[in-house]
Amino acid sequence: MLHHDHLANYARALLLRRLRAQGRDVEHSRLWQVNAADLKARSLIRFEPRYICEKCNNGDGRGKDPNYRGRVSRMYPKSFSMNPQELLQVSRGSCWDTAASRIWRSARHEHRRRRLAISWWVQSIIEAEATC
């Protein structure tokens, strides 16, 4: 399965949401196609898409599921994705919750920084296109 950083999904959804708020949602596909590669160039995603096994790919979803093992909230946001090396750590360990929690704690500040940078990036795209 192709595993990717869900910050890219977050960026695409944010671009659509902001364009829609301005009544410009028809521009979404074109703007995304033109600008999506910029996410990597600006280091806004943690890792390149990579083929991994289905079990590892699904290992990431447990932390995003608010109902996993009786949880009442997500361990981490939907926009966070473990990289392939981190997925190996949680899939091989005996305690998924402990390993995943450690990974999220070490990544959360950087994740928040990237989400904020994506917000600015999306706004710059919209403003630049409005002036053309």
Side-chain angles (χ1 to χ4, degrees), residues 7-125:
L7 274 171
N9 299 42
Y10 171 78
R12 187 172 189 165
L14 184 60
L15 178 62
L16 178 58
R17 192 166 51 249
R18 291 200 181 159
L19 286 169
R20 193 172 277 154
Q22 296 179 8
R24 297 170 52 197
D25 50 318
V26 296
E27 300 174 52
H28 178 259
S29 291
R30 182 182 58 78
L31 288 176
W32 180 253
Q33 290 297 320
V34 169
N35 293 286
D38 203 29
L39 288 170
K40 179 181 182 274
R42 294 176 181 261
S43 300
L44 296 176
I45 55 174
R46 293 178 72 212
F47 58 92
E48 288 288 317
R50 195 159 167 204
Y51 285 98
I52 61 174
C53 73
E54 186 173 1
K55 179 184 174 193
C56 287
N57 190 55
N58 294 339
D60 203 355
R62 295 179 192 173
K64 298 172 189 180
D65 181 355
N67 301 313
Y68 180 71
R69 289 191 175 169
R71 230 185 255 131
V72 294
S73 64
R74 292 179 178 90
M75 181 181 289
Y76 44 80
K78 289 181 181 182
S79 56
F80 177 71
S81 294
M82 291 182 200
N83 66 37
Q85 295 79 18
E86 292 164 342
L87 286 170
L88 277 174
Q89 291 174 31
V90 298
S91 69
R92 290 183 177 162
S94 58
C95 186
W96 184 93
D97 285 342
T98 302
S101 179
R102 179 182 44 74
I103 289 166
W104 170 240
R105 279 194 316 271
S106 70
R108 69 180 171 200
H109 295 295
E110 183 65 16
H111 181 76
R112 288 181 187 139
R113 184 199 65 76
R114 288 173 197 260
R115 278 181 58 136
L116 181 58
I118 286 170
S119 181
W120 293 332
W121 175 78
V122 164
Q123 193 59 39
S124 72
I125 291 168

Side-chain angles (χ1 to χ4, degrees), residues 1-13:
M1 301 200 72
L2 186 62
H3 182 66
H4 66 283
D5 188 343
H6 285 189
L7 274 171
N9 299 42
Y10 171 78
R12 187 172 189 165

